[in-house]
Amino acid sequence: MIGDACSLPIRRVPTRAGAVGVIVAGQAGPRLPIVLIHGGGMDRAAIAWARLIGPLSADRMVVAPDLPGFGASLSLDPVSSAAAMADIVGDALDRVGVDRVGVDRVVVAGVSMGGDVALNLALRSPDRVAGLVLVAPGGLAPRVRNPAVQLLAWAAAQLPDALLLPLVRWGNRHVGQLIRRMVADPATLPPGIAERFVREAGRDNAGIAYLRYNQASLAPSHLRNDLSDRVGSIPAPTLFFHGANDRLVAPADSRRAAARMPRARLVIVPDCGHLAQIEAQDRFRVELGLFLVEHRL
């Protein structure tokens, strides 16, 4: 068993991209709803937030969508850019009735690619986002490593689908190994998590949405989704939570962004990789709880 989220019902919620699958848990109350946005690759809400939806929904409404092309929304065409995904999340919030629980503001949490989406939502709808929680967020790097690697990554992303899609399917067969390399210590993964990623990778069209996100983000000399110069305008209090041993998203990206934001706090977790909210779940729950209490969210 991974956790409660795996057995929660999924609603079909109309958006401009089609009916996305959304987990809605908990009840409206005095605390703000929290929106949980999963990462890229083979991720989905019921994996990224598997053991957190239950505890978080004890005293507030929790809304956890699967973005188009992922999880319960795998049959939908991907929308590619993080900005477009943020619009889809906004549509889903309107449809699940967050504005009818007596407030029109939410806390938004995102991991990796989902952090990029969360940042875009905060920039596009600052009056709606009362707080941000960013776990190893994307969207904060100027380029992939160095100019040569950036150019190579962009060139690879320009290959035709006839070549790229077989490469995606080949990569899907090795997802279990990849997940274990993304964490600092595979023994910290809860039982069943790696297997869930592997099952997602075996589904038709798995990985294509993440491919489209990367294609939309890559330019020859830079990353188009870099929000580093804009994050200073986000007024919402923000918690960054990043593994010190993250090989996929550099902790330095979060450190730079946190320094530019007026109300940000950075937590770097030792002996932790990219899946920080899973690898260091207990620490994450403590830091998240402190953040929510401190800012009365």
Side-chain angles (χ1 to χ4, degrees):
M1 287 291 291
I2 296 176
D4 296 340
C6 297
S7 59
L8 287 173
I10 294 175
R11 293 191 196 178
R12 292 291 169 184
V13 178
T15 71
R16 69 193 70 186
V20 300
V22 182
I23 295 173
V24 181
Q27 301 293 325
R31 299 187 181 277
L32 294 183
I34 186 165
V35 182
L36 304 176
I37 307 176
H38 62 77
M42 303 302 145
D43 209 359
R44 62 184 295 173
I47 297 179
W49 308 106
R51 296 189 172 210
L52 291 162
I53 290 177
L56 287 173
S57 65
D59 63 356
R60 69 182 71 226
M61 176 185 281
V62 176
V63 179
D66 280 339
L67 296 164
F70 293 89
S73 306
L74 187 62
S75 62
L76 299 181
D77 291 335
V79 295
S80 301
S81 74
M85 293 183 205
D87 290 339
I88 301 304
V89 173
D91 289 348
L93 293 179
D94 292 337
R95 292 290 187 165
V96 298
V98 166
D99 58 337
R100 293 195 293 275
V101 301
V103 295
D104 57 4
R105 305 178 76 211
V106 296
V107 179
V108 181
V111 55
S112 194
M113 180 192 78
D116 190 359
V117 177
L119 283 163
N120 274 275
L121 188 61
L123 287 164
R124 295 163 87 83
S125 304
D127 293 337
R128 182 171 226 175
V129 178
L132 271 178
V133 180
L134 304 171
V135 181
L140 294 171
R143 67 175 65 90
V144 181
R145 296 189 182 177
N146 59 57
V149 174
Q150 174 71 39
L151 182 60
L152 182 62
W154 170 80
Q158 307 312 303
L159 293 172
D161 279 358
L163 293 175
L164 282 177
L165 297 187
L167 287 174
V168 169
R169 289 191 287 270
W170 177 84
N172 289 352
R173 294 198 294 271
H174 302 277
V175 161
Q177 299 170 35
L178 176 62
I179 294 300
R180 289 174 174 84
R181 292 184 62 187
M182 287 169 60
V183 301
D185 180 3
T188 63
L189 291 176
I193 285 285
E195 290 75 12
R196 279 298 301 276
F197 280 116
V198 170
R199 284 201 292 273
E200 285 296 309
R203 300 175 65 195
D204 290 343
N205 298 323
I208 295 176
Y210 190 52
L211 168 66
R212 301 303 185 218
Y213 165 74
N214 285 302
Q215 287 176 318
S217 302
L218 288 162
S221 62
H222 64 282
L223 285 169
R224 294 190 179 98
N225 65 330
D226 180 18
L227 300 172
S228 299
D229 292 339
R230 300 178 59 196
V231 294
S233 67
I234 295 175
T238 302
L239 171 66
F240 285 87
F241 191 83
H242 210 132
N245 305 98
D246 192 337
R247 301 183 188 97
L248 189 61
V249 178
D253 296 348
S254 288
R255 186 174 290 111
R256 281 194 308 271
R260 294 177 178 179
M261 297 174 73
R263 304 176 68 190
R265 182 167 69 90
L266 171 66
V267 176
I268 298 291
V269 187
D271 302 316
C272 183
H274 185 62
L275 303 179
Q277 87 286 3
I278 295 175
E279 297 174 67
Q281 177 185 274
D282 291 342
R283 175 75 183 274
F284 180 70
R285 286 178 61 180
V286 168
E287 296 292 349
L288 176 59
L290 291 172
F291 173 76
L292 295 172
V293 169
E294 176 187 359
H295 297 286
R296 299 181 181 179
L297 297 172

